[in-house]
């Protein structure tokens, strides 16, 4: 009985940020409703849809940033500038040169990956600190983006391109509830439960320790409820945004990569103890090179999403994107020392940042106060991480 209670407590602790997120959303709902006489709502389906669309780029970037942070608390300061440059080149390819859209997308992804490899080479093989390398990249690529655009935005993008990222999958018809969305949500829940059960049975078969059945069921209920609630909001509006499907695919791929593949576990090993990992046969240089090359690729994906949302390529695009991505990872449970963190946690952190931005904007909070609040939240997340590390060290 005591072991079961401990497992449940551990499960609840592992989902603390989820409960904090729900609590903050309820708080904003009350504050917004009270201020507007209950004419405005944070939980309005249209607002939830916009919340997802407006913050997808943060979640995508946080996924890539997590891999860098896992290697030892390293970060990439250049991603906002890379977003601006790749977006500028996409504008030139698609709008100015009228290249085929698929070719333009491939070129943009390739260029972003090459930029990441450029950073990764100096970090992994020349051993220049990531902070310095990516700081130089932040200045370099922002300048190149401004040169490419000649300081002027390129717009508009063709509808065919916008539909790739700004359209919706829905089949509402005359119904108030989009049944296509609900069917997709039901399938996602079933797939999620099946994968979790399969994973548990595999661990039991191999002799690994697993949480109690009650703790396992608690986890399934919590996460399934989240999926259903989000799906319900989308079903009451315009259906599933295509960009949300893109994000889901990215999250699924990187979650599997970090948790169930050897190269993914190398990232954690380096963050835990780089010297020990190297002595164990891990090629730490290659792992670091991969982490930053991947960050360039992810930045290119975020750039394609951003220009579709703005319907323009701008030299100022991507400003402070790196800060939002870094904050999302730390708020989502990634350790400032590396070696700890999950993709799902980074996504929760990105949603938390989006809710803060959205809620404070609806309330009319001054932009300077918004920055101050986000800074305090980030500082609090890092303080909790440091305190947790010291507590574990004291126990040892």
């Amino acid at each position: 009985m005591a072991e079961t209670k401990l497992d449940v407590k551990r499960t609840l602790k592992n989902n603390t940020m989820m409960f904090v997120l729900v609590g903050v959303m309820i708080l904003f709902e009350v504050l917004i409703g009270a201020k507007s006489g209950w004419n405005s709502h944070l939980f309005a389906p249209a607002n939830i849809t916009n919340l997802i669309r407006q913050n997808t780029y943060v979640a995508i970037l946080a996924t890539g940033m997590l891999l860098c942070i896992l290697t030892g608390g390293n970060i990439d300061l250049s991603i906002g500038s890379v977003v601006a440059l790749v977006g500028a080149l996409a504008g030139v390819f698609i709008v100015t040169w009228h290249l085929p859209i698929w070719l333009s997308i491939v070129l943009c992804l390739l260029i972003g990956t090459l930029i990441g490899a450029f950073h990764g080479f100096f970090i992994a093989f020349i051993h220049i600190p990531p902070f310095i390398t990516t700081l130089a990249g932040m200045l370099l690529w922002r300048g190149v983006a401004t040169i490419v655009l000649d300081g002027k935005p390129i717009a508009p993008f063709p509808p065919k391109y916008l539909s790739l990222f700004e359209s919706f999958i829905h089949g509402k018809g005359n119904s108030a509830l989009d049944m296509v969305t609900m069917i997709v949500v039901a399938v996602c829940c079933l797939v999620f439960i099946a994968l979790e059960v399969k994973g548990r049975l595999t661990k039991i078969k191999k002799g690994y320790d697993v949480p109690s059945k009650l703790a396992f069921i608690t986890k399934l209920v919590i996460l399934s409820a989240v999926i259903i609630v989000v799906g319900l909001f989308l079903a009451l509006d315009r259906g599933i945004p295509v960009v949300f499907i893109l994000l889901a695919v990215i999250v699924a791929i990187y979650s599997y990569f970090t948790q169930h593949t050897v190269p993914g576990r190398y990232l954690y090993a380096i963050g835990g103890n780089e010297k020990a990992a190297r002595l164990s046969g891990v090629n730490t240089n290659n792992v670091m090179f991969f982490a930053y090359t991947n960050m360039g690729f992810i930045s290119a994906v975020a750039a394609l999403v951003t220009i579709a949302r703005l319907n323009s390529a701008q030299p100022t695009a991507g400003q402070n994107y790196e800060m939002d991505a870094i904050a999302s990872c730390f708020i989502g449970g990634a350790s400032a020392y590396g070696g700890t963190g999950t993709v799902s946690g980074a996504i929760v952190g990105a949603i938390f940042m989006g809710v803060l931005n959205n809620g404070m904007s609806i309330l009319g909070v001054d932009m300077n106060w918004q920055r101050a609040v986000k800074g305090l939240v980030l500082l609090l997340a890092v303080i909790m991480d440091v305190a947790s590390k010291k507590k574990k060290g004291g126990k040892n």
Side-chain angles (χ1 to χ4, degrees):
M1 189 67 175
E3 185 178 351
T4 299
K5 289 183 179 180
L6 182 62
D7 284 338
V8 173
K9 184 178 180 181
R10 187 183 297 114
T11 300
L12 295 176
K13 183 180 179 180
N14 292 337
N15 292 280
T16 297
M17 199 60 217
M18 187 73 73
F19 294 116
V20 172
L21 174 60
V22 173
V24 169
M25 293 183 74
I26 293 174
L27 175 61
F28 274 125
E29 172 69 12
V30 172
L31 293 176
I32 292 170
K35 183 177 180 180
S36 65
W38 302 103
N39 292 320
S40 298
H41 301 276
L42 179 74
F43 288 111
N47 189 56
I48 296 297
T49 299
N50 289 331
L51 187 64
I52 292 172
R53 294 172 61 210
Q54 292 170 4
N55 293 279
T56 298
Y57 75 89
V58 179
I60 292 173
L61 290 172
T63 302
M65 185 66 73
L66 176 68
L67 271 59
C68 297
I69 292 174
L70 287 176
T71 61
N74 300 306
I75 57 176
D76 190 334
L77 295 174
S78 69
I79 59 176
S81 298
V82 176
V83 167
L85 175 57
V86 173
L89 292 173
V92 172
F93 295 155
I94 298 173
V95 179
T96 306
W97 293 355
H98 302 290
L99 294 180
I101 291 176
W102 67 268
L103 177 60
S104 301
I105 291 176
V106 170
L107 288 174
C108 287
L109 294 176
L110 178 60
I111 291 170
T113 303
L114 290 175
I115 291 174
F118 176 80
H119 295 156
F121 172 77
F122 287 103
I123 292 169
F125 302 112
I126 308 299
H127 301 295
I128 299 176
F131 183 89
I132 301 300
T133 302
T134 57
L135 177 62
M138 179 177 70
L139 301 174
L140 170 62
W141 307 125
R142 178 69 63 180
V144 175
T146 304
I147 292 171
V148 169
L149 293 174
D150 195 23
K152 304 172 185 177
I154 294 179
F157 280 78
K160 187 177 179 180
Y161 176 78
L162 298 179
S163 65
L164 294 176
F165 301 99
E166 286 296 295
S167 58
F168 293 80
I169 295 178
H170 63 94
K172 186 176 292 186
N174 296 323
S175 173
L177 187 68
D178 181 6
M179 296 310 299
V180 172
T181 299
M182 295 311 300
I183 292 173
V184 171
V185 169
V187 171
C188 288
C189 279
L190 292 175
V191 170
F192 165 72
I193 293 172
L195 291 176
E196 288 292 320
V197 171
K198 180 182 177 182
R200 177 183 173 86
L201 293 176
T202 301
K203 289 181 179 179
I204 293 175
K205 185 177 180 180
K206 293 182 177 180
Y208 296 149
D209 290 332
V210 295
S212 66
K213 288 184 179 180
L214 179 58
F216 180 68
I217 293 173
T218 302
K219 175 186 175 181
L220 292 183
V221 169
I222 291 173
L223 297 182
S224 296
V226 171
I227 295 173
I228 292 172
V229 170
V230 172
L232 184 60
F233 280 121
L234 296 178
L236 290 170
D237 189 36
R238 286 166 286 178
I240 304 175
V242 171
V243 73
F244 188 53
I245 297 175
L246 172 64
L247 175 61
V249 171
I250 290 174
V251 170
I253 291 174
Y254 281 87
S255 293
Y256 182 84
F257 173 78
T258 54
Q259 298 297 319
H260 300 288
T261 68
V262 173
R265 302 312 296 177
Y266 284 166
L267 295 165
Y268 290 91
I270 292 176
N273 190 322
E274 183 177 358
K275 185 177 180 180
R278 190 184 304 113
L279 292 174
S280 298
V282 177
N283 191 324
T284 55
N285 289 343
N286 285 350
V287 175
M288 289 291 290
F289 179 77
F290 165 77
Y292 281 90
T293 300
N294 174 77
M295 189 71 254
F297 170 77
I298 287 293
S299 298
V301 175
L304 296 173
V305 171
T306 299
I307 60 175
R309 181 173 63 87
L310 300 176
N311 196 16
S312 67
Q314 303 177 7
T316 58
Q319 288 185 342
N320 295 324
Y321 279 17
E322 59 277 354
M323 300 306 172
D324 287 338
I326 294 168
S328 298
C329 291
F330 288 140
I331 291 172
S335 173
Y337 302 100
T340 302
T342 61
V343 172
S344 59
I347 299 303
V348 171
I351 297 172
F352 186 88
M353 292 292 291
V355 169
L356 280 182
N357 289 331
N358 186 259
M360 289 190 291
S361 296
I362 296 175
L363 287 172
V365 178
D366 182 76
M367 185 60 68
N368 295 316
W369 278 107
Q370 290 189 34
R371 294 192 185 100
V373 170
K374 289 191 289 185
L376 288 173
V377 170
L378 174 58
L379 181 61
L380 180 61
V382 176
I383 289 173
M384 292 176 64
D385 173 53
V386 172
S388 175
K389 291 288 184 182
K390 288 184 176 180
K391 186 177 179 180
K392 290 181 180 178
K395 288 182 178 181
N396 293 333

